[in-house]
Amino acid sequence: MLYLIGLGLSDEKDITLRGLEAIKKCSKVYLERYTSILMCDTSKLEEVYGKPVEVATREDVEEGIDKVLEDAKDADIAMCIVGDPFGATTHSDLMQRASDTGVKVKVIHNASVMNAIGALGLQLYRYGEAVSICFFTDTWRPDSWYDKIKKNRQIGLHTLVLMDIRVKERDWSAMGKLKYEPPRYMSVNTCVEQLLEVEANKQEGVYSKDMLCVGVSRLGSDDQQIISGTLEELLTADFGPPLHSMVIPGELHPCEEA
């Protein structure tokens, strides 16, 4: 059986009892950490789990998963996922591929940014479609998320903005050698810079530098940081280490205005 186990948002202590019990009986434990990261070393997980934890890269999960699925036909295998197993489309695809190959799957849920964002004081049922913003490059500046924010704001809904994570990305400038770029985690500051650039180009008034938004870092940890301010103010605010995310509010309910 393949276990998809959510680890929560912060560190080794966030795993549920159900998740820990499943890991204890698995013959192999993988940690997928390219869609998100925990705020602790893998060694901390191994101490709690009492067994080795193998880090699974993007290539392992998206291209080399066949061996994991083959092993899961005859043994219990754990794929540990930061947050909740269904917090990223990658894991829904993994579940489908397991089903297609006859592998039984057990999902053990946990907290994710999708529900913990309620800590900002904005009601969860007043959120629209979440958006993800990627790092701009000289030749690639995707902005499809702009229309989604626009649609949310037109119907008065808040927008959760998730930010790019680049972990073990291939360095294609390495002259044919297998080399990886250093990890990169988008900050609220960079995200706001890109938001304002796209608004300046489109000029549709979806948001402005004077609009009040909320940025958050290390959500769910003991040192989580929540800062509200205009986009111009968030552009220079110090949010500290990753992970970062933010919310662009829609219409505020009276309970949210307090």
Side-chain angles (χ1 to χ4, degrees), residues 3-7 12-26 29 44-51 53 78 80 108-110:
Y3 286 87
L4 300 181
I5 302 174
L7 299 184
E12 74 279 5
K13 298 176 183 177
D14 283 357
I15 191 169
T16 64
L17 288 175
R18 190 185 301 273
L20 185 58
E21 287 173 355
I23 285 176
K24 293 285 189 183
K25 66 181 183 181
C26 286
V29 180
K44 290 290 187 180
L45 301 181
E46 293 175 332
E47 289 177 15
V48 173
Y49 304 164
K51 57 183 59 183
V53 175
C80 297
I108 301 176
H109 296 283
N110 209 318

Side-chain angles (χ1 to χ4, degrees), residues 52-242:
V53 175
E54 182 176 330
V55 175
T57 65
R58 181 187 295 273
E59 290 87 353
D60 293 330
V61 178
E62 295 183 353
E63 300 171 14
I65 199 64
D66 290 344
K67 183 180 185 308
V68 175
L69 296 178
E70 188 64 31
D71 291 344
K73 290 180 179 179
D74 302 310
D76 290 330
I77 306 295
M79 180 65 73
C80 297
I81 298 159
V82 180
D84 185 83
F86 292 136
T89 54
T90 293
H91 310 127
S92 298
D93 177 68
L94 175 56
M95 186 172 181
Q96 183 61 55
R97 291 170 69 178
S99 177
D100 291 344
T101 55
V103 175
K104 292 182 179 179
V105 179
K106 174 72 174 179
V107 178
I108 301 176
H109 296 283
N110 209 318
S112 78
V113 65
M114 304 300 286
N115 60 347
I117 201 65
L120 275 60
L122 300 176
Q123 299 172 11
L124 290 179
Y125 64 84
R126 295 179 58 80
Y127 278 79
E129 183 177 358
V131 301
S132 297
I133 296 187
C134 300
F135 282 111
F136 284 175
T137 69
D138 292 339
T139 58
W140 190 57
R141 306 178 92 74
D143 59 10
S144 59
W145 41 262
Y146 182 87
D147 288 335
K148 296 177 182 179
I149 297 172
K150 179 180 179 180
K151 185 180 295 185
N152 285 343
R153 287 187 50 74
Q154 285 174 337
I155 55 177
L157 298 180
H158 312 316
T159 304
L160 171 61
V161 180
L162 304 173
M163 300 179 191
D164 203 2
I165 298 174
R166 297 295 179 94
V167 179
K168 205 171 182 182
E169 294 283 334
R170 182 79 178 269
D171 184 353
W172 296 102
S173 66
M175 302 297 290
K177 297 178 181 179
L178 183 58
K179 184 179 178 182
Y180 296 97
E181 298 177 351
R184 297 175 65 202
Y185 307 98
M186 183 178 285
S187 66
V188 170
N189 317 113
T190 298
C191 179
V192 170
E193 184 178 314
Q194 295 186 181
L195 283 167
L196 293 176
E197 176 184 318
V198 172
E199 177 58 56
N201 290 336
K202 291 183 175 288
Q203 297 186 6
E204 295 181 24
V206 173
Y207 48 81
S208 72
K209 65 182 178 62
D210 298 318
M211 181 180 175
L212 189 66
C213 295
V214 188
V216 59
S217 56
R218 301 173 302 287
L219 183 62
S221 70
D222 290 337
D223 68 340
Q224 76 175 17
Q225 191 170 14
I226 300 172
I227 301 176
S228 63
T230 65
L231 284 176
E232 187 173 40
E233 290 169 338
L234 296 184
L235 191 59
T236 56
D238 183 5
F239 285 87

Side-chain angles (χ1 to χ4, degrees), residues 237-249:
D238 183 5
F239 285 87
L243 295 172
H244 294 188
S245 54
M246 68 178 292
V247 171
I248 298 174

